[in-house]
Amino acid sequence: MLVSVVVGALWVTLPAYLPNNAAVLAGGGRPIDGGRTLGGRRLLGDGKTWRGTAVGTAVGTLAAPVLNLLATPVGATVGVTIPTIQVPAAALGLALGAMVGDVAASFVKRRLDRARGAAVPGLDQLDFVVGALVFAALAAPAWFTSVFTLPRLVVVVVATPVLHVTTNVIAYRLGLKDEPW
Ligand code: CTP
Ligand code: MG
């Protein structure tokens, strides 16, 4: 029962987890804010680029059909029923929402006078998942309410910070990321 809730919750949230990691690998090039400032501070900073955002959104969205193909065999192997992301708008909402949430957090961080890469505990770990859930709920409301039941939402909110910290430490150790958060 618990395994089923955890596996199902993390599975359908994968299109929101992948964009950040893809952006780290793909990032670079023109920053979204084009160097613009607000009150003497960068609008978003050099860490939010068009390329990272576009590749992150594409990777997260395109992961959904792959996850849908794997849901039945993986579910059978683990012995749980895994929900699918059959609605394209839901996949796009999760991926784009994750990127927008992360961009919004950078906007907040710059207003708080935190330099690019500075850690803001809480914000760094939840920005993208909150963005993803809000966008998915708006883009595909019926799918969202049937898939994101309260137990699954609780799992996502509790497990996401742990997963985020873990993957970032790994990316840092591998030399892919400048900071371990
Ligand atoms: N990245 C990107 N575009 C995005 C998000 C991330 O290009 N929309 C890339 C950047 O190379 C960035 C790296 O992924 O430096 C790590 O992302 P993140 O930790 O979110 O950015 P930071 O550099 O830490 O900047 P900030 O303080 O604004 O979060
Ligand atoms: Mg960062």
Side-chain angles (χ1 to χ4, degrees):
M1 177 59 195
L2 181 65
V3 173
S4 177
V5 174
V6 172
V7 171
L10 298 182
W11 187 275
V12 286
T13 313
L14 267 170
Y17 290 148
L18 296 172
N20 286 285
N21 301 295
V24 171
L25 299 177
R30 217 172 106 75
I32 294 173
D33 67 9
R36 273 184 284 274
T37 56
L38 178 68
R41 300 179 186 107
R42 282 290 291 277
L43 211 53
L44 301 172
D46 285 331
K48 304 295 117 137
T49 67
W50 286 111
R51 197 167 77 207
T53 308
V55 173
T57 304
V59 167
T61 307
L62 295 175
V66 179
L67 290 169
N68 290 342
L69 281 177
L70 296 174
T72 306
V74 171
T77 307
V78 184
V80 298
T81 306
I82 296 176
T84 52
I85 312 157
Q86 297 292 0
V87 186
L92 180 63
L94 287 168
L96 182 63
M99 289 278 85
V100 172
D102 179 58
V103 167
S106 289
F107 178 79
V108 172
K109 284 163 81 171
R110 299 299 92 81
R111 305 288 72 72
L112 296 171
D113 208 12
R114 307 295 167 90
R116 171 195 178 179
V120 178
L123 193 63
D124 285 328
Q125 288 75 37
L126 286 169
D127 53 14
F128 65 97
V129 79
V130 170
L133 294 175
V134 170
F135 271 52
L138 292 173
W143 175 85
F144 185 86
T145 43
S146 71
V147 169
F148 280 101
T149 55
L150 189 59
R152 285 197 183 126
L153 276 177
V154 171
V155 167
V156 167
V157 171
V158 173
T160 297
V162 179
L163 286 170
H164 191 253
V165 168
T166 310
T167 53
N168 282 347
V169 167
I170 293 170
Y172 172 72
R173 296 249 171 97
L174 291 174
L176 299 172
K177 212 170 174 302
D178 293 338
E179 308 89 16
W181 49 76

